[in-house]
PDB file of all heavy atoms in Angstrom:
ATOM      1  N   LEU A 518      84.914 113.405  53.361  1.00 93.00           N
ATOM      2  CA  LEU A 518      84.618 114.020  52.070  1.00 93.00           C
ATOM      3  C   LEU A 518      83.212 113.632  51.605  1.00 93.00           C
ATOM      4  O   LEU A 518      82.482 114.437  51.040  1.00 93.00           O
ATOM      5  CB  LEU A 518      85.645 113.577  51.020  1.00 93.00           C
ATOM      6  CG  LEU A 518      87.089 114.037  51.227  1.00 93.00           C
ATOM      7  CD1 LEU A 518      88.005 113.386  50.198  1.00 93.00           C
ATOM      8  CD2 LEU A 518      87.203 115.545  51.154  1.00 93.00           C
ATOM      9  N   ALA A 519      82.859 112.369  51.876  1.00 91.00           N
ATOM     10  CA  ALA A 519      81.575 111.852  51.396  1.00 91.00           C
ATOM     11  C   ALA A 519      80.393 112.559  52.047  1.00 91.00           C
ATOM     12  O   ALA A 519      79.294 112.585  51.515  1.00 91.00           O
ATOM     13  CB  ALA A 519      81.489 110.354  51.649  1.00 91.00           C
ATOM     14  N   VAL A 520      80.642 113.133  53.204  1.00 92.00           N
ATOM     15  CA  VAL A 520      79.553 113.691  53.997  1.00 92.00           C
ATOM     16  C   VAL A 520      79.478 115.216  53.826  1.00 92.00           C
ATOM     17  O   VAL A 520      78.538 115.880  54.254  1.00 92.00           O
ATOM     18  CB  VAL A 520      79.819 113.243  55.462  1.00 92.00           C
ATOM     19  CG1 VAL A 520      80.273 114.342  56.333  1.00 92.00           C
ATOM     20  CG2 VAL A 520      78.676 112.444  55.996  1.00 92.00           C
ATOM     21  N   HIS A 521      80.484 115.764  53.158  1.00 92.00           N
ATOM     22  CA  HIS A 521      80.647 117.216  53.041  1.00 92.00           C
ATOM     23  C   HIS A 521      79.391 117.940  52.551  1.00 92.00           C
ATOM     24  O   HIS A 521      78.910 118.883  53.189  1.00 92.00           O
ATOM     25  CB  HIS A 521      81.823 117.488  52.092  1.00 92.00           C
ATOM     26  CG  HIS A 521      82.239 118.921  51.990  1.00 92.00           C
ATOM     27  ND1 HIS A 521      83.052 119.524  52.919  1.00 92.00           N
ATOM     28  CD2 HIS A 521      81.963 119.878  51.061  1.00 92.00           C
ATOM     29  CE1 HIS A 521      83.264 120.779  52.568  1.00 92.00           C
ATOM     30  NE2 HIS A 521      82.622 121.021  51.444  1.00 92.00           N
ATOM     31  N   ASN A 522      78.883 117.494  51.424  1.00 90.00           N
ATOM     32  CA  ASN A 522      77.732 118.214  50.860  1.00 90.00           C
ATOM     33  C   ASN A 522      76.442 117.986  51.644  1.00 90.00           C
ATOM     34  O   ASN A 522      75.558 118.835  51.625  1.00 90.00           O
ATOM     35  CB  ASN A 522      77.553 117.842  49.386  1.00 90.00           C
ATOM     36  CG  ASN A 522      78.612 118.514  48.521  1.00 90.00           C
ATOM     37  OD1 ASN A 522      79.252 119.473  48.961  1.00 90.00           O
ATOM     38  ND2 ASN A 522      78.815 118.018  47.323  1.00 90.00           N
ATOM     39  N   ASP A 523      76.357 116.856  52.340  1.00 90.00           N
ATOM     40  CA  ASP A 523      75.194 116.630  53.219  1.00 90.00           C
ATOM     41  C   ASP A 523      75.155 117.698  54.302  1.00 90.00           C
ATOM     42  O   ASP A 523      74.108 118.260  54.613  1.00 90.00           O
ATOM     43  CB  ASP A 523      75.291 115.261  53.921  1.00 90.00           C
ATOM     44  CG  ASP A 523      75.317 114.096  52.951  1.00 90.00           C
ATOM     45  OD1 ASP A 523      75.015 114.309  51.762  1.00 90.00           O
ATOM     46  OD2 ASP A 523      75.630 112.975  53.380  1.00 90.00           O
ATOM     47  N   VAL A 524      76.333 117.947  54.883  1.00 94.00           N
ATOM     48  CA  VAL A 524      76.388 118.910  55.979  1.00 94.00           C
ATOM     49  C   VAL A 524      76.119 120.325  55.466  1.00 94.00           C
ATOM     50  O   VAL A 524      75.394 121.098  56.102  1.00 94.00           O
ATOM     51  CB  VAL A 524      77.759 118.869  56.692  1.00 94.00           C
ATOM     52  CG1 VAL A 524      77.804 119.876  57.832  1.00 94.00           C
ATOM     53  CG2 VAL A 524      78.045 117.474  57.223  1.00 94.00           C
ATOM     54  N   LEU A 525      76.668 120.633  54.310  1.00 94.00           N
ATOM     55  CA  LEU A 525      76.424 121.964  53.740  1.00 94.00           C
ATOM     56  C   LEU A 525      74.928 122.187  53.543  1.00 94.00           C
ATOM     57  O   LEU A 525      74.388 123.232  53.915  1.00 94.00           O
ATOM     58  CB  LEU A 525      77.168 122.117  52.401  1.00 94.00           C
ATOM     59  CG  LEU A 525      76.917 123.422  51.650  1.00 94.00           C
ATOM     60  CD1 LEU A 525      77.371 124.619  52.470  1.00 94.00           C
ATOM     61  CD2 LEU A 525      77.606 123.409  50.296  1.00 94.00           C
ATOM     62  N   ALA A 526      74.267 121.191  52.979  1.00 92.00           N
ATOM     63  CA  ALA A 526      72.828 121.322  52.723  1.00 92.00           C
ATOM     64  C   ALA A 526      72.071 121.544  54.026  1.00 92.00           C
ATOM     65  O   ALA A 526      71.184 122.398  54.109  1.00 92.00           O
ATOM     66  CB  ALA A 526      72.314 120.073  52.015  1.00 92.00           C
TER      67      ALA A 526
END
Side-chain angles (χ1 to χ4, degrees):
Chain A
L518 294 173
V520 108
H521 187 81
N522 285 343
D523 299 347
V524 180
L525 176 61

